[in-house]
Amino acid sequence: MIKIYHNNRCSKSRCGLEILEKSGKEFEIVKYLDDTLSAKALKEIIALLKIKPIDLIRKNEAIWKEHYKGKTLTDAEVVNAMAKHPKLIERPIVINGNKAVIGRPPELILDII
């Protein structure tokens, strides 16, 4: 089943959701700000995305700038920061089986559905 990690307040996330709706395929919406992700779940998503944890961070978020910017963090510390502050997670993330993509731009979602 396709999953979208979604934040309705984000225009790119809403566009990603629209792409999935138009595809006609079944999918599950995960509202990760309400149902926060554990460090373990984040590590699994990062592995599917084939990126470094820092590449999943929204570096313009105030939380990042105030608490983490300019610091040398390990991968585990970056993952823990996202688990503690889910607003830091880039979105939308779409997972289809063993494939995953960050929908920026949202059209990248088409590559895995």
Side-chain angles (χ1 to χ4, degrees), residues 8 16 31 52 58 63 70-71 79 88 91 98 101 108:
N8 199 47
K31 294 182 179 180
K52 299 289 275 169
R58 295 176 52 81
I63 295 166
K71 294 182 179 178
V79 169
L88 293 176
R91 66 227 178 203
N98 63 354
V101 69
L108 290 175

Side-chain angles (χ1 to χ4, degrees), residues 64-102:
W64 181 259
K65 290 178 180 178
E66 292 169 18
H67 300 286
Y68 303 101
K69 185 178 179 179
K71 294 182 179 178
T72 303
L73 303 171
T74 65
D75 286 351
E77 289 170 327
V78 172
V79 169
N80 288 334
M82 287 186 282
K84 184 175 180 180
H85 306 286
K87 275 185 153 186
L88 293 176
I89 301 169
E90 192 63 81
R91 66 227 178 203
I93 301 167
V94 176
I95 298 175
N96 187 5
N98 63 354
K99 296 182 272 184
V101 69
I102 299 170

